[in-house]
Amino acid sequence: MKRTILLLLLGVLALAGCKKDEPLPTVQFGAALYTVYSHGSVQVAVLTEAPVEKDLVVPVYFGGAAVKETDYSVSADAVTIAAGADTGYLEITDIALSEEKQIVLTLEAPDGYDTGLRAKAVVSPVAEEALIYSFETPAADLLESYTATVTVTGAVSGKSFKATEDLEIPLVVHGDGAGAVRASSVRIAAGQASGQAVFSLTDPAFSGMAPASVSADPAGSRFLPGDTGSLLLTVRGIQTPDKLLGTWQFDHIVELAQIEEWFLAMEDDPDIIPKHNDGFTLTFAKEGDNVVLTPGTSGDFAAFFRKATVTLTAPKNSNGPVLGTCTADDNNGWYAEAKEAATQQNTYYKLSQANRSFDNTAEKMGEAVVVFRLRSDGNLAVELRDYDAPPFGFMWWDDKKFDIEMFSFASVFTPVR
């Protein structure tokens, strides 16, 4: 009996000993070596083995030959890992680091944790300067594809920076629409200070309206965000005619007052341009397999529009890069004057018939090309892109070149509820 009790006690003690010696979860740096470019910043990661149940604060100590606030600055003296996460960051910015002045980081394990293999990390400077990148525009629509221009300046050399060799800026895409976006890196050729990234749809049949935010991959610590450090893509897919269904009512011509001034400057009569459109409507409806446009009968635009079948078509009289079979990235300066986006991702449509003379007294029927663009505010932008010499703007008209800004009459239509 005594022998049995003794064995049981030994078993309990053994179990207790095993529980006491159970290893603690570890916390450590994400890497043993980080590099920071001249006058740039680097994010230093601190990791736990598993997501933390509540906010975890991990103290970090700074050593090495470099002096804090003289040779470098830090975003915090500790890293906070938020509840539900397994990674936190602090940012180190170079002020005057050099090969002889490196930073040695040491973390302290909080209660309930032990330090992992990477309890220390070194931040080492790189002689090359950090580069500040900015997208040309803060927002754009992704219909078929989109090409974004990115410009870089030097953290030291400023706007005089030119790449000494080909550069590549890796990008990351976040947001609800990220899975629908295929993105290239930004490629900047030697001798240049700007480059382009190309975005396309992972599924050409995508249809919706999902946001996707694009920025430089933080792992590429040489590239710092500038004034426009991210691009908001609204992922829509091709704007097929059926997306226009409903009735839209004319609201205004964009920057009409300035258009009138330019007509006056060429001694054209601004009173006869097609600006009187109060109450004019465009109604899109399904008729069998087709979408048919029925225009209103009052207003100057009624001299151009006729009942017509609406189909997608190749861009015509566009002034920007063609983005696909029916889209282009155009630049109508009147939108910029109205403090809207400088470029517009337009979809082009063919009307099976329109009055190409823009004159009801001398009607000339034929096909015509227009732009219909669903705006983010729920309104419809309309631009005319194809008609014959009209009975207005005589001094501006050029048969060889359709002037988008003077003759498209970019207009905003609102939905009729």
Side-chain angles (χ1 to χ4, degrees), residues 98-171:
S98 65
E99 189 176 341
E100 297 77 26
K101 294 180 179 180
Q102 297 186 344
I103 309 166
V104 178
L105 307 177
T106 305
L107 61 77
E108 178 183 306
D111 289 345
Y113 285 83
D114 201 354
T115 54
L117 295 176
R118 294 188 298 274
K120 290 183 180 293
V122 174
V123 178
S124 180
V126 175
E128 293 176 301
E129 66 178 324
L131 299 176
I132 301 164
Y133 73 91
S134 282
F135 287 93
E136 183 179 39
T137 183
D141 291 337
L142 178 55
L143 304 173
E144 294 182 272
S145 69
Y146 181 71
T147 300
T149 298
V150 177
T151 300
V152 294
T153 57
V156 178
S157 59
K159 292 183 179 180
S160 65
F161 170 81
K162 300 291 181 187
T164 57
E165 59 183 3
D166 291 354
L167 290 178
E168 185 172 337
I169 305 177
L171 299 176

Side-chain angles (χ1 to χ4, degrees), residues 252-318:
H252 67 277
I253 293 175
V254 178
E255 291 297 302
L256 174 60
Q258 291 207 52
I259 295 174
E260 292 175 319
E261 287 181 14
W262 282 99
F263 270 83
L264 275 172
M266 292 290 284
E267 299 183 354
D268 273 311
D269 183 357
D271 289 333
I272 62 174
I273 65 177
K275 61 183 180 179
H276 309 97
N277 292 293
D278 288 348
F280 179 76
T281 58
L282 296 171
T283 298
F284 299 85
K286 290 283 284 188
E287 292 188 8
D289 294 333
N290 298 321
V291 171
V292 174
L293 166 64
T294 302
T297 56
S298 64
D300 291 343
F301 280 168
F304 170 78
F305 285 100
R306 296 291 185 268
K307 185 173 182 179
T309 301
V310 181
T311 53
L312 293 168
T313 193
K316 184 172 184 178
N317 293 323
S318 60

Side-chain angles (χ1 to χ4, degrees), residues 31-44:
L33 176 65
Y34 290 89
T35 57
V36 59
Y37 290 86
S38 177
H39 292 268
S41 300
V42 62
Q43 284 193 328
V44 175

